Amino acid sequence: MCTAIRDRHLFGRTLDLECSYGEQIVVTPRAFPFDFLYEPPRARHLAMIGTAHLSHGRPLYYDAVNEAGLCVAALNFPACAAYHPPRAGAHNLASFELIPWLLGQCQTLDEAKRLLRDTVITPDQAADDLPATPLHWMIADASGAVTVESVGDGLNIYDNSIGVLTNSPDFAYHTTHLADFMHLDNVPPQNALCPTVDLPHYSRGMGAMGLPGDASSASRFVRAVFAQHHILPETDEISAVSRFFHVMDTVACPRGFALTDNGRPIYTIYTSCADTTRGIYYFTTYANRRIRAVRLRDADLDAAALTSFSMDDAQDVAFLR
């Protein structure tokens, strides 16, 4: 369970799982060496920042933004994702390699799309204890976004003008499903049922009656689209970031709101918001709702060593006196 949103120059996601895997905010500078299973290694590349699990000194990014403002988020895609054997003449990437491979060399969404047109996602795993996860991806910059899905017939790249991605089913289903809710609005509804009868508006918010409130991926997709297009925009930067987190709150999962098949409670482990123009990575966690941030440009971007920041922290409560 995850949701990703692009809103102009802001990009972020929720990570909704039953447990944390020790995620950290990780800055990868330009000289950190990246090795790939099939592609040539990269001794130098664009710097990036995002949330990652560190495995044997290597960042396995869940989402990240590079110094040029290109972003990628990987979301769970169970029962739909299909990976394929390496193909001669193609770019062959394991699923865990796609984010650093793209962000290390692409400055724009158009550059990323050109590379992806001849790319194969292979079923290789990151480590013996880290099997390949079924994923799809949302890739974005300030100009727009795409959804990338590796399925049975190959790699599909969809223009994502909606700016939202959740989990299975595939992106084509979600966009078609939106048509069932095109009547939703934030203004009071008109009486089309029986116009000759005076039906009162007995409550505010009735224009959105029928907006799904459950935690399923299909419902979160609709809810995120509604929130993104109806929560009023803000002009200054901090207010825009605050608005972004309010949009993400509409799809957040309180602990126990949904359970796994074996009864474990799912919850929103973290929510991120990357400012692609300023290189600032904002985040909140389930334990601490305060917005914290790391500036990519505060790091030595020509270094060779990773810089990581713990996301752990107790809730910060300000007592007024």
Side-chain angles (χ1 to χ4, degrees), residues 44-117:
R44 288 192 64 84
H45 48 75
L46 295 168
M48 63 196 76
I49 182 173
T51 299
H53 169 68
L54 292 176
S55 174
H56 305 286
R58 177 193 183 103
L60 303 179
Y61 277 111
Y62 303 5
D63 64 279
V65 56
N66 69 14
E67 59 184 300
L70 184 66
C71 307
V72 186
L75 280 69
N76 200 25
F77 196 41
C80 291
Y83 300 148
H84 301 274
R87 188 180 74 236
H91 299 297
N92 297 292
L93 279 303
S95 57
F96 65 91
E97 297 177 324
L98 187 64
I99 290 179
W101 184 74
L102 285 175
L103 294 186
Q105 60 185 310
C106 297
Q107 299 194 44
T108 67
L109 179 61
D110 285 340
E111 290 179 10
K113 288 194 294 185
R114 284 195 293 271
L115 278 179
L116 287 167
R117 291 189 186 106

Side-chain angles (χ1 to χ4, degrees), residues 148-283:
V148 176
E149 296 179 339
S150 181
V151 292
D153 60 356
L155 198 67
N156 293 330
I157 305 171
Y158 301 96
D159 285 331
N160 187 341
S161 59
I162 298 167
V164 172
L165 185 63
T166 55
N167 310 108
S168 305
D170 60 22
F171 186 69
Y173 168 85
H174 287 298
T175 53
T176 301
H177 185 232
L178 278 181
D180 294 341
F181 302 92
M182 65 173 68
H183 61 282
L184 299 181
D185 205 344
N186 58 357
V187 300
Q190 298 297 312
N191 178 14
L193 175 65
C194 47
T196 59
V197 178
D198 184 17
L199 297 179
H201 294 142
Y202 57 80
S203 173
R204 294 176 178 175
M206 293 176 64
M209 291 184 74
L211 179 67
D214 61 88
S216 68
S217 58
S219 294
R220 283 183 285 110
F221 193 97
V222 175
R223 202 157 62 249
V225 171
F226 182 85
Q228 186 181 7
H229 288 83
H230 288 87
I231 295 178
L232 295 178
E234 301 287 351
T235 54
D236 68 276
E237 182 59 27
I238 295 301
S239 296
V241 169
S242 178
R243 175 194 181 276
F244 190 94
F245 279 98
H246 282 300
V247 172
M248 299 304 278
D249 282 344
T250 68
V251 293
C253 186
R255 197 190 307 267
F257 191 71
L259 302 178
T260 64
D261 290 342
N262 60 2
R264 299 183 67 184
I266 299 167
Y267 65 103
T268 298
I269 293 172
Y270 77 86
T271 304
S272 65
C273 172
D275 181 334
T276 64
T277 59
R278 293 173 173 83
I280 303 175
Y281 189 86
Y282 300 90
F283 70 98

